[in-house]
Amino acid sequence: MHSPRNQNHNLAVPPGQYKYSNHFPKVMQQLSPIYTVATEPVFFDHLLMNVGKPIRVVTLNDTLEGTLSGVAIDHIQLTIGEEHYHIRIQHISYFVGKP
C-alpha cells in the first residue's frame, strides 16, 4: 500500500489529494490495484473551479442541486443538506455553476 500524502487524517484534503484508509478490506491491501481512468481535462478543470460553490448537476438519471464539496479523478462529492452524494463523473451529462 502506498504511503499517505497527508498523515493527519483529521484534516480536509484538497481536491486531487487523497487520504488512504486503514480500514480497506484485506483483499484490497494485498492486491494493490492499479487502474486507469479516462478523463476530460477541460470538464475536470471546470469542476475544480466550482469546489465550495453551489451547482446543479444533471446526471443520466436525475438532477441534483447542492454544494460541490469535492472532486476526485473518478467522481465528485455533492453535499445537499447533511447528505454527501458521490457521483461518478461519467454519469454527469452537464453541470450548471459559476466558473
Side-chain angles (χ1 to χ4, degrees):
M1 190 166 185
H2 299 288
S3 299
R5 286 181 129 181
N6 182 350
Q7 295 291 335
N8 188 345
H9 294 289
N10 295 324
L11 295 178
V13 180
Q17 297 184 22
Y18 307 97
K19 292 192 286 188
Y20 292 88
S21 170
N22 294 330
H23 305 291
F24 278 137
K26 289 285 184 196
V27 69
M28 290 296 288
Q29 292 178 11
Q30 293 169 352
L31 291 176
S32 296
I34 297 173
Y35 63 95
T36 58
V37 177
T39 61
E40 298 179 44
V42 175
F43 187 75
F44 191 77
D45 189 46
H46 285 248
L47 282 167
L48 287 170
M49 286 190 283
N50 282 277
V51 171
K53 298 177 183 175
I55 66 169
R56 181 177 37 222
V57 178
V58 178
T59 69
L60 302 174
N61 299 318
D62 204 358
T63 299
L64 300 167
E65 292 189 38
T67 300
L68 182 60
S69 47
V71 176
I73 195 70
D74 59 351
H75 74 282
I76 65 169
Q77 179 175 312
L78 187 68
T79 301
I80 304 172
E82 297 295 319
E83 300 289 327
H84 303 287
Y85 293 84
H86 298 266
I87 304 164
R88 294 175 184 237
I89 289 179
Q90 71 262 27
H91 292 189
I92 300 172
S93 297
Y94 65 93
F95 73 94
V96 179
K98 295 185 178 181

